[in-house]
Amino acid sequence: MTIPSKYDASKVEDKWYAYWMKNNYFHSTPDEREPYTIVIPPPNVTGVLHMGHMLNNTIQDVLIRRARLLGKNACWVPGTDHASIATEAKVVAKLKEQGIRKSDLTREEFLQHAFDWKDEYGGKILEQLKKLGASCDWERTAFTMDPEMSESVIKVFVDLYNKGLIYRGFRMVNWDPEAKTTLSDEEVIHEERQGNLYYLEYKIEGSTDTLTIATTRPETIFGDTAICINPTDERFTHLKGKKAIVPLCGRIIPIIEDEYVDVEFGTGCLKVTPAHDENDKNLGDKHQLEVIDIFYDDASLNSFGLHYQGKDRFVVRKEISKELKEKGFLVKTEVHTNKVGTSERTKAVIEPRLSDQWFLKMKDLAKPAIDAVLGEDATINLYPKKFENTYRHWMENVRDWNISRQLWWGQQIPAYFYGDGKEDFVVAENSADALVLAKEKTGNASLSASDLKQDEDALDTWFSSWLWPMSVFDGIRNPENEEIKYYYPTNDLVTGPDILFFWVARMIVAGYEYKGEKPFQNVYLTGLVRDKQRRKMSKSLGNSPDALKLIDDYGADGVRVGLLLSSAAGNDLMFEEDLCQQGKGFANKIWNAFRLIKGWEVDASLSQPKTSKIGLEWYEAKFQKAIAEIEDHFSKYRLSDALMAIYKLINDDFSSWLLEIVKPAYQKPIDKNTFDAIIEVLENNLKVLHPFMPFLTEEIWQYIADRTADEALIIAKYPIIKEYDANIIADFDFTSDVISGIRSIRKDKNIAFKDAIELFVIDSEKNSKEFDDVIQKLTNTATITAVSEKVEGASFRVKSNEYFVPISIENIDVEAEIIKLEGELKRAQGFLFGISKKLSNERFVSNAPEQVLALERKKEADTIAKIETIKSSLVSLK
């Protein structure tokens, strides 16, 4: 086969990916081998490949490919998440373009549109992952709304309800007015924002007295149902038992007393709006206040907002403050900074709202999950460990999980209502079972299926993905099936710390509830991908490169290397395209090294030189040391350190040293023993590099020899760690310093490599002479002679050994040396001029500290001596 002169990733990557797919290397079925299992964090079905996905999936692919080489039954399960809020928003927007409103459709019609959208646009990200080299078991691709997955979700809901852990409650919830659904507390991001504090005056009924309250939300006065004062606050004793009049709407409301009011905060008077603030709701329940909801579901004001009906809350805030001021109710306005809850998905400001929702009790469920990570006999490891504190905080302060969403895209809550009362429902896996239960509960045998109405809400997306490590192996519907028993618990989970609670913690909860054990052993939490200015990459900042374009420009292997070189375990990574260029350059260097080897002529009659034998022995020791270090890095999930160890091994030890040691003389053949050994070394290098750079390594592997499908690199056997000789490594480290010293003299003195030199050494270290032949070959040194006295010529030290190279004019390129020395002379004279000028400045000399003056005078003396030396050298050459 003709080996191309350059490595072209664009011609290689599709070829080998197709080959791997054709030979089904990615597919796994249970067998006698040790399983190694990863489940992909399912990206949103709406998603496209971004830098975070690239990092996360590169790490997973490195782990899975390495496990495959280690002889394990590697199974990486891919899939996508139905992402209820994001996907429904996209479908609604698409329908709107076609002139169709969601409200005009039945649920079934809308879901058909959603599935059509998903089939047309969804899942692109999985195809993009193939470009990266992701070796997922694509036959196992799952979707969180596949029929069997949805069946598992419904089964779990019914089970938890029957255990008394799921309940329906009228609660203050987080309402996203853009998505028109509730959110769990964890889906709300609290941001500091600057707004205003409005001081409003309320009149007292039947009196000329007034009271003043302070609020950040003047539009909510239409929902006020009381004013609250602290009973111990003497300032307002005269208001006890009286009533106030709400500005604009004129509603008469009671003035109540409660120690909840902080006398030090604001004015000491608190407006109570039970429908739109959780603390106000608690006060309202305690004092049996009326609850007035003033908002439609899009956060525009309803009829309670009077002439503001239909207007958005923020528009009303501006307009009502103006009206209140004109009518004398607005006393003053102050700039005020407070925390505002926003939707993680839509970024809309959250509206606290009272609503009937479904909740899951979490406190008891969380206990095994806390022990699994933080207990004395913890079975789950978080990497880095610093995230254990975050996990502890969330799990020890866990609140009941609001699992219902006012959406259609998702699993419909399996609650069936048979009457108008809040408790007139049953929970069942299907309508037939529900009818049986409803007849039993009501005693009404004449009930029919048409009398039942299923809850319109869908379940939170996380309520399906928390089952992911079990449901992908059908472990909920068929808990004793062969696959769940073989693949569960999984080994490693690679994900971002931003979903440590949303997803990771909940999977642990579900794992213990439904399998009685952990869902995975290790959780590797990657950092965020940032630009070199430490900014988070985002579309809005325009600092997020096109992931697929990076692959086109640098090759998938180059991008994988670039990402991992910039990724310290668990810390945010500063991504620079230069690192992808470095990865591409590394690929080219390996390719060129391979071409160099394959270009050598082999002569079976030649015996192996001593230099090659010792060089190969040294590299074997170096390789064993490196793979032991790599193993340690992998055990600690320091993948970037593992890659760097491989990079140095191949780039420095193999390419820059070993190949130079064994390389035959120009146009001379190489002996067969050395050649075969070098091929074996190269193959072992490819095996350890393959998880990081799969395409390049498979391409070279297949060029080395004709291989059958059973001999592909992707399923080769990883090198076994063995004992190694540390002394030979230390000896060569010393030798390489000697070689570097000689090379520096050749460079400094312009001595051409073709001109042999002599080397003399005062050998204080009494080092091994094993590598003397290597020194002579790599430096063209004719002899190495031990001496007891210094020898005239250029010299250098390695530890306590002193080396000397006699310099004769015949060895030197005189013209080049003169040019070099004249340049050095000019620079030294310029430096001396600057120092002399400084020392002749009386102000400097009189004000500078003595140690500064001493240093400057030493610089002057040293430079004068250097100039004299250079001049002498020039005289001797002319």
Side-chain angles (χ1 to χ4, degrees):
M1 290 183 287
T2 304
I3 301 169
S5 60
K6 289 186 178 179
Y7 176 70
D8 187 346
S10 65
K11 292 179 180 175
V12 167
E13 292 173 355
D14 288 344
K15 174 180 73 174
W16 290 119
Y17 203 89
Y19 178 81
W20 295 328
M21 291 285 283
K22 177 187 169 187
N23 287 286
N24 224 17
Y25 297 125
F26 304 162
H27 184 54
S28 169
T29 53
D31 60 25
E32 73 288 346
R33 290 175 294 167
E34 177 190 345
Y36 176 83
T37 316
I38 294 179
V39 291
I40 200 171
N44 288 354
V45 72
T46 58
V48 292
L49 198 63
H50 59 59
M51 297 307 291
H53 294 131
M54 296 265 277
L55 171 66
N56 186 288
N57 287 282
T58 293
I59 291 169
Q60 289 175 81
D61 195 48
V62 168
L63 294 172
I64 212 81
R65 285 180 182 274
R66 183 167 180 272
R68 212 176 272 126
L69 290 169
L70 289 167
K72 296 177 184 179
N73 190 350
C75 179
W76 183 13
V77 182
T80 50
D81 187 282
H82 64 273
S84 52
I85 295 175
T87 306
E88 183 151 324
K90 285 186 180 289
V91 175
V92 168
K94 186 170 185 285
L95 289 171
K96 192 175 180 182
E97 289 171 10
Q98 299 169 3
I100 303 170
R101 291 184 301 179
K102 178 186 171 185
S103 56
D104 295 335
L105 301 173
T106 65
R107 188 187 198 104
E108 288 68 31
E109 287 169 340
F110 177 82
L111 288 177
Q112 188 54 56
H113 280 289
F115 274 107
D116 289 345
W117 183 93
K118 177 252 178 188
D119 292 340
E120 186 175 352
Y121 300 104
K124 279 186 179 178
I125 190 167
L126 298 184
E127 290 304 309
Q128 292 172 332
L129 285 177
K130 293 176 181 177
K131 290 283 186 188
L132 187 65
S135 57
C136 301
D137 186 347
W138 299 109
E139 292 178 39
R140 294 181 176 276
T141 303
F143 174 53
T144 51
M145 272 185 63
D146 284 339
E148 58 274 21
M149 304 287 274
S150 289
E151 191 182 322
S152 298
V153 171
I154 298 304
K155 199 173 189 69
V156 164
F157 182 98
V158 173
D159 177 65
L160 291 171
Y161 177 80
N162 289 336
K163 288 174 178 173
L165 294 171
I166 285 179
Y167 64 94
R168 194 165 186 257
F170 187 66
R171 296 283 188 85
M172 184 69 68
V173 294
N174 305 300
W175 183 258
D176 181 337
E178 190 168 317
K180 296 187 176 65
T181 183
T182 59
L183 301 178
S184 66
D185 292 334
E186 293 75 32
E187 291 169 295
V188 178
I189 309 299
H190 293 277
E191 301 174 356
E192 279 205 348
R193 292 194 180 180
Q194 194 175 79
N196 290 319
L197 194 59
Y198 301 86
Y199 288 80
L200 305 182
E201 194 171 76
Y202 288 56
K203 290 180 180 176
I204 306 302
E205 184 188 33
S207 164
T208 57
D209 289 343
T210 61
L211 62 83
T212 303
I213 61 93
T215 180
T216 58
R217 307 188 61 197
E219 69 277 11
T220 61
I221 61 171
F222 296 118
D224 288 356
T225 55
I227 297 291
C228 190
I229 57 173
N230 191 306
T232 64
D233 194 336
E234 295 178 1
R235 293 174 295 173
F236 304 117
T237 305
H238 65 291
L239 297 178
K240 290 182 180 183
K242 295 189 176 180
K243 294 183 178 181
I245 303 169
V246 179
L248 303 186
C249 69
R251 184 185 307 120
I252 295 169
I253 57 175
I255 296 173
I256 61 173
E257 300 170 50
D258 199 288
E259 291 186 350
Y260 166 75
V261 179
D262 183 353
V263 296
E264 301 293 330
F265 182 77
T267 64
C269 292
L270 179 75
K271 69 190 275 300
V272 184
T273 317
H276 301 294
D277 182 274
E278 189 164 3
N279 295 320
D280 288 10
K281 172 66 168 60
N282 294 335
L283 272 176
D285 290 346
K286 185 176 177 180
H287 295 275
Q288 298 180 314
L289 299 176
E290 184 183 4
V291 177
I292 300 173
D293 186 345
I294 67 168
F295 291 120
Y296 291 125
D297 61 6
D298 64 353
S300 62
L301 271 70
N302 60 24
S303 59
F304 284 107
L306 304 178
H307 47 290
Y308 292 109
Q309 182 176 356
K311 290 187 176 183
D312 180 77
R313 55 190 164 158
F314 296 118
V315 172
V316 175
R317 186 172 301 173
K318 285 183 180 178
E319 293 181 2
I320 201 171
S321 59
K322 190 175 177 183
E323 183 181 1
L324 288 165
K325 186 174 183 179
E326 287 170 352
K327 292 184 175 175
F329 295 112
L330 180 60
V331 178
K332 64 176 178 174
T333 305
E334 293 176 349
V335 174
H336 178 71
T337 300
N338 66 329
K339 284 200 168 181
V340 175
T342 60
S343 167
E344 183 205 26
R345 283 272 176 238
T346 66
K347 312 305 178 193
V349 173
I350 293 302
E351 193 60 58
R353 192 182 193 197
L354 284 166
S355 178
D356 284 309
Q357 301 292 335
W358 294 90
F359 296 88
L360 174 60
K361 296 176 184 177
M362 291 295 289
K363 195 168 184 63
D364 290 339
L365 283 173
K367 287 174 183 173
I370 294 171
D371 291 341
V373 176
L374 304 168
E376 283 185 17
D377 300 316
T379 55
I380 298 173
N381 307 305
L382 299 189
Y383 295 91
K385 283 182 74 67
K386 66 181 180 182
F387 288 111
E388 287 180 2
N389 289 332
T390 308
Y391 185 88
R392 182 189 302 278
H393 174 75
W394 276 333
M395 295 300 279
E396 290 182 352
N397 297 282
V398 70
R399 299 174 69 178
D400 288 357
W401 177 9
N402 173 7
I403 56 174
S404 48
R405 298 290 179 271
Q406 287 61 57
L407 300 163
W408 282 352
W409 180 241
Q411 287 88 11
Q412 190 172 358
I413 289 175
Y416 297 83
F417 290 82
Y418 51 79
D420 296 328
K422 285 193 174 186
E423 298 302 317
D424 293 347
F425 68 84
V426 292
V427 170
E429 290 185 36
N430 52 60
S431 57
D433 290 350
L435 184 58
V436 173
L437 289 173
K439 286 179 179 180
E440 289 175 6
K441 190 172 178 181
T442 61
N444 182 358
S446 65
L447 275 178
S448 67
S450 61
D451 295 319
L452 301 183
K453 186 177 185 297
Q454 189 173 352
D455 195 309
E456 286 284 306
D457 289 354
L459 284 159
D460 180 10
T461 301
W462 297 109
F463 195 82
S464 56
S465 57
W466 79 320
L467 305 176
W468 189 247
M470 294 177 286
S471 58
V472 294
F473 299 115
D474 204 15
I476 298 295
R477 298 190 312 158
N478 299 297
E480 294 303 313
N481 82 75
E482 180 191 19
E483 293 215 329
I484 191 73
K485 287 164 81 172
Y486 181 74
Y487 292 114
Y488 188 96
T490 67
N491 295 76
D492 295 323
L493 180 76
V494 182
T495 189
D498 52 328
I499 54 173
L500 179 56
F501 182 80
F502 286 130
W503 191 48
V504 179
R506 287 169 176 166
M507 281 191 290
I508 298 171
V509 168
Y512 278 97
E513 181 64 16
Y514 286 100
K515 293 302 295 177
E517 62 179 319
K518 64 193 177 189
F520 28 71
Q521 185 170 336
N522 303 299
V523 181
Y524 176 67
L525 298 156
T526 64
L528 291 171
V529 184
R530 298 183 181 276
D531 64 17
K532 55 189 175 185
Q533 294 172 265
R534 303 190 71 84
R535 300 177 303 175
K536 185 178 177 180
M537 286 191 168
S538 67
K539 284 182 185 176
S540 57
L541 286 174
N543 62 345
S544 183
D546 181 327
L548 293 178
K549 187 174 185 303
L550 284 176
I551 292 173
D552 287 342
D553 291 346
Y554 302 106
D557 289 335
V559 174
R560 289 163 70 112
V561 168
L563 279 164
L564 289 173
L565 286 180
S566 57
S567 173
N571 295 319
D572 289 354
L573 65 98
M574 307 304 127
F575 178 75
E576 294 184 52
E577 266 192 51
D578 290 351
L579 291 166
C580 294
Q581 182 60 54
Q582 186 177 341
K584 184 178 180 179
F586 185 42
N588 288 334
K589 181 153 189 178
I590 297 166
W591 184 256
N592 290 335
F594 164 62
R595 286 184 67 246
L596 172 72
I597 295 165
K598 290 296 274 185
W600 292 336
E601 180 190 342
V602 182
D603 186 340
S605 67
L606 292 176
S607 58
Q608 187 178 48
K610 186 181 175 186
T611 49
S612 295
K613 184 174 183 296
I614 190 69
L616 286 162
E617 286 173 5
W618 159 73
Y619 190 79
E620 172 61 19
K622 192 76 177 179
F623 180 82
Q624 287 300 329
K625 181 173 186 278
I627 62 171
E629 288 172 0
I630 291 160
E631 178 66 28
D632 181 59
H633 291 319
F634 268 103
S635 73
K636 295 165 183 169
Y637 294 84
R638 296 202 301 251
L639 270 63
S640 55
D641 292 340
L643 173 58
M644 185 51 74
I646 296 168
Y647 183 93
K648 288 176 179 176
L649 178 75
I650 296 174
N651 193 67
D652 301 343
D653 300 322
F654 177 71
S655 298
S656 298
W657 286 112
L658 181 61
L659 292 186
E660 289 298 311
I661 291 170
V662 304
K663 186 168 69 176
Y666 182 63
Q667 291 189 334
K668 298 288 184 183
I670 189 170
D671 68 281
K672 190 171 188 309
N673 284 347
T674 300
F675 183 80
D676 290 348
I678 283 292
I679 290 296
E680 185 180 346
V681 164
L682 175 60
E683 288 182 338
N684 281 331
N685 286 346
L686 295 176
K687 288 174 185 177
V688 295
L689 182 61
H690 176 76
F692 297 93
M693 303 182 81
F695 295 108
L696 167 80
T697 51
E698 189 75 73
E699 174 81 346
I700 294 175
W701 179 266
Q702 299 284 351
Y703 263 117
I704 289 172
D706 289 331
R707 317 265 189 184
T708 66
D710 291 335
E711 296 170 325
L713 176 57
I714 188 174
I715 52 168
K717 190 175 180 184
Y718 198 79
I720 296 168
I721 297 177
K722 303 172 189 171
E723 292 290 320
Y724 63 89
D725 181 358
N727 291 328
I728 199 170
I729 294 174
D731 288 345
F732 186 79
D733 286 346
F734 191 94
T735 299
S736 64
D737 286 343
V738 175
I739 292 167
S740 297
I742 296 169
R743 286 174 172 172
S744 293
I745 287 173
R746 279 190 176 276
K747 184 182 175 186
D748 289 346
K749 300 299 180 184
N750 285 298
I751 303 171
F753 186 80
K754 64 181 176 61
D755 298 324
I757 58 168
E758 293 180 304
L759 182 67
F760 295 88
V761 54
I762 298 176
D763 188 11
S764 305
E765 291 285 329
K766 304 299 179 192
N767 262 70
S768 165
K769 305 297 184 288
E770 286 282 348
F771 285 101
D772 280 6
D773 288 346
V774 172
I775 294 171
Q776 289 181 257
K777 178 178 178 179
L778 296 189
T779 62
N780 192 14
T781 297
T783 58
I784 301 176
T785 307
V787 294
S788 56
E789 299 290 333
K790 292 187 177 185
V791 175
E792 190 68 34
S795 66
F796 64 92
R797 277 182 176 276
V798 177
K799 294 190 177 175
S800 60
N801 274 14
E802 196 164 1
Y803 293 85
F804 305 92
V805 176
I807 305 297
S808 69
I809 201 156
E810 289 78 23
N811 290 132
I812 298 174
D813 180 340
V814 175
E815 193 175 329
E817 183 68 6
I818 288 172
I819 291 169
K820 189 192 83 168
L821 288 171
E822 285 177 342
E824 287 181 10
L825 179 62
K826 190 174 180 181
R827 285 192 295 276
Q829 288 171 332
F831 187 65
L832 179 62
F833 177 77
I835 296 171
S836 301
K837 190 174 181 182
K838 192 185 287 186
L839 290 171
S840 63
N841 184 326
E842 288 182 17
R843 182 178 291 178
F844 172 76
V845 172
S846 57
N847 292 325
E850 187 54 44
Q851 62 266 35
V852 173
L853 284 174
L855 183 64
E856 292 299 319
R857 287 178 180 131
K858 185 177 184 307
K859 283 183 192 174
E860 183 182 44
D862 290 346
T863 308
I864 290 168
K866 184 178 181 179
I867 288 169
E868 289 306 313
T869 302
I870 295 170
K871 284 180 177 178
S872 297
S873 298
L874 281 168
V875 167
S876 68
L877 290 169
K878 290 180 180 178

